Amino acid sequence: MSKIDVSIVIPFYNEEENIRNLIDAIHRVMNENPWEYEIIAVDDGSDDTTWQKMKELASENDRFRPILLRRNFGQTPALAAGLDRARGTRVVTMDGDYQNDPEDIPLMMSKMDEGYDMVSGWRKNRQDPFLSKKLPSKLANRLIQKVTRVPVNDLGCSLKIYKREIVEDINLYGELHRFLPVLAKWAGARIGETPVTHHPRRFGKSKYGLSRTIRVLLDLIAVKFLMKHSTSPLRMFGGAGFVSIITGILAFAASIIMKFAGVQNLNRNPLLVISVGAVIVGIQFILMGLLGEINIRTYYESQSKPIYLIRETQNFDE
Ligand code: UDP
Ligand code: MG
């Protein structure tokens, strides 16, 4: 098999009416361009005819490579299944509902040529319901930008392109696919952004509602923690622990002083209870940090994971 320039990875869950239109459009765009490509379509356990459609498409063109998961695992695992099998120098991800436009791929490719490791699409003119999608997404994006300092305006946009090394260095869990730019930045990627076209969903239903916002916020806490403290949990928990213990000691000292100054008896002073609580919580924090340290060592050492990532070397080739 010759070298592949681009792998296009797409998860599908009950998208029987969208898949053919989308895949045909991708073939059309890619054939107008010089790149060797493959399309990796993952059927995330659909219970409609998506898989039949995929088998037809595969027999028509061997650049179309479908994968069927045993059950519905969710968008992130489906995406991961495809990414694990991508062979291209670059990897494009997009949705299978034909809301993203394959016409944008050449645009993103040339943006990558400017020297980025990843380019994220930005649905400037997003065609989705305002209250359940656009508004929460806007607020969440603001917050995520503030917290992670990753300058991407539209994390939820699935149309993105990466150098393959970047995705190879990232492990996806839960619903973390939307945090890929954040994880990519953590992996040292130079990140660009480009406006992309967005169409309303023509067929099928959206798989998500408003409740997604809460899950995204919880994921944000996890991602922030992993980015900042994944190699030193004791520093974070221990810091909180010290503050708590010192507060407890001060409260205790204050209640002793108040007793001898005749202001308040020890047994009637609420500060005494606070001091006991704060010291116990503080000790718990430090112990939690120590447990974290043990976990971190298991994580890195059991998989021989380095705590660094290399962009380039010279004269090191074996
Ligand atoms: N999807 C999937 N597994 C799921 C849910 C969704 O593979 O459990 C796919 C879905 O087929 C689509 C993409 O993920 O290609 C995005 O889903 P959707 O369009 O419903 O999300 P929205 O654009 O409404 O946020
Ligand atoms: Mg969609």
Side-chain angles (χ1 to χ4, degrees):
M1 187 107 197
S2 56
K3 182 176 147 288
I4 293 175
D5 303 305
V6 202
S7 301
I8 299 159
V9 178
I10 316 171
F12 292 87
Y13 181 50
N14 294 341
E15 306 284 3
E16 58 185 358
E17 292 156 300
N18 294 312
I19 182 160
R20 176 167 285 279
N21 295 338
L22 174 65
I23 300 303
D24 285 348
I26 296 176
H27 283 309
R28 224 178 303 124
V29 171
M30 296 313 282
N31 285 324
E32 287 166 5
N33 287 281
W35 312 302
E36 240 353 280
Y37 70 98
E38 63 177 358
I39 302 172
I40 300 184
V42 184
D43 180 351
D44 187 14
S46 299
D47 31 47
D48 64 0
T49 64
T50 299
W51 181 244
Q52 271 77 31
K53 299 261 162 34
M54 283 192 183
K55 285 198 288 191
E56 282 166 35
L57 288 161
S59 65
E60 292 162 22
N61 190 330
D62 62 6
R63 290 185 162 125
F64 180 80
R65 307 171 64 213
I67 299 167
L68 173 62
L69 300 188
R70 284 191 187 272
R71 64 168 173 86
N72 178 231
F73 283 88
Q75 192 179 345
T76 301
L79 197 65
L83 291 175
D84 285 343
R85 282 155 189 82
R87 296 170 301 177
T89 322
R90 291 177 182 173
V91 180
V92 170
T93 60
M94 62 161 77
D95 278 351
D97 55 7
Y98 208 172
Q99 287 192 261
N100 299 128
D101 199 324
E103 298 278 348
D104 287 321
I105 295 175
L107 213 98
M108 303 188 86
M109 286 292 277
S110 44
K111 188 85 186 167
M112 284 291 275
D113 294 338
E114 291 173 23
Y116 293 108
D117 298 311
M118 110 159 251
V119 171
S120 181
W122 178 6
R123 298 164 293 180
K124 269 195 166 164
N125 192 0
R126 184 171 174 184
Q127 306 291 325
D128 271 325
F130 180 77
L131 269 184
S132 68
K133 290 265 162 93
K134 288 207 283 200
L135 181 68
S137 150
K138 196 157 218 151
L139 296 176
N141 276 310
R142 282 263 170 78
L143 181 69
I144 295 171
Q145 268 188 35
K146 273 253 160 63
V147 173
T148 65
R149 301 218 180 79
V150 174
V152 167
N153 286 293
D154 188 8
L155 284 148
C157 180
S158 308
L159 182 56
K160 295 189 173 95
I161 179 165
Y162 308 83
K163 278 194 191 150
R164 203 188 58 224
E165 310 93 89
I166 295 289
V167 269
E168 277 172 353
D169 287 333
I170 294 173
N171 287 327
L172 283 176
Y173 300 97
E175 286 189 60
L176 286 193
H177 67 272
R178 69 185 47 252
F179 286 98
L180 267 166
V182 179
L183 301 169
K185 188 189 169 206
W186 179 82
R190 290 179 285 233
I191 301 173
E193 189 172 42
T194 173
V196 295
T197 319
H198 194 243
H199 302 292
R201 200 182 234 285
R202 273 201 292 163
F203 301 106
K205 281 201 292 283
S206 169
K207 277 79 192 173
Y208 305 100
L210 198 56
S211 69
R212 176 164 69 186
T213 318
I214 295 166
R215 297 199 300 269
V216 168
L217 291 181
L218 289 173
D219 284 345
L220 174 63
I221 297 177
V223 166
K224 177 70 185 174
F225 174 75
L226 288 176
M227 277 178 79
K228 202 154 170 215
H229 302 287
S230 66
T231 54
S232 57
L234 183 56
R235 290 201 191 166
M236 185 190 119
F237 288 112
F242 269 115
V243 171
S244 185
I245 288 176
I246 288 167
T247 311
I249 291 172
L250 290 179
F252 184 69
S255 53
I256 297 284
I257 292 167
M258 284 158 96
K259 175 191 158 65
F260 286 109
V263 184
Q264 180 71 279
N265 272 337
L266 261 193
N267 60 344
R268 293 187 149 219
N269 196 334
L271 277 177
L272 189 67
V273 181
I274 292 174
S275 76
V276 172
V279 170
I280 293 176
V281 168
I283 293 171
Q284 288 296 329
F285 264 126
I286 292 175
L287 291 178
M288 234 185 317
L290 284 171
L291 282 180
E293 291 285 331
I294 294 170
N295 272 330
I296 276 312
R297 276 159 184 67
T298 321
Y299 173 77
Y300 284 100
E301 287 165 24
S302 65
Q303 307 172 57
S304 326
K305 267 183 186 295
I307 54 172
Y308 54 83
L309 296 166
I310 291 174
R311 186 185 294 281
E312 211 179 311
T313 58
Q314 276 184 19
N315 296 344
F316 266 97
D317 317 316
E318 253 107 67

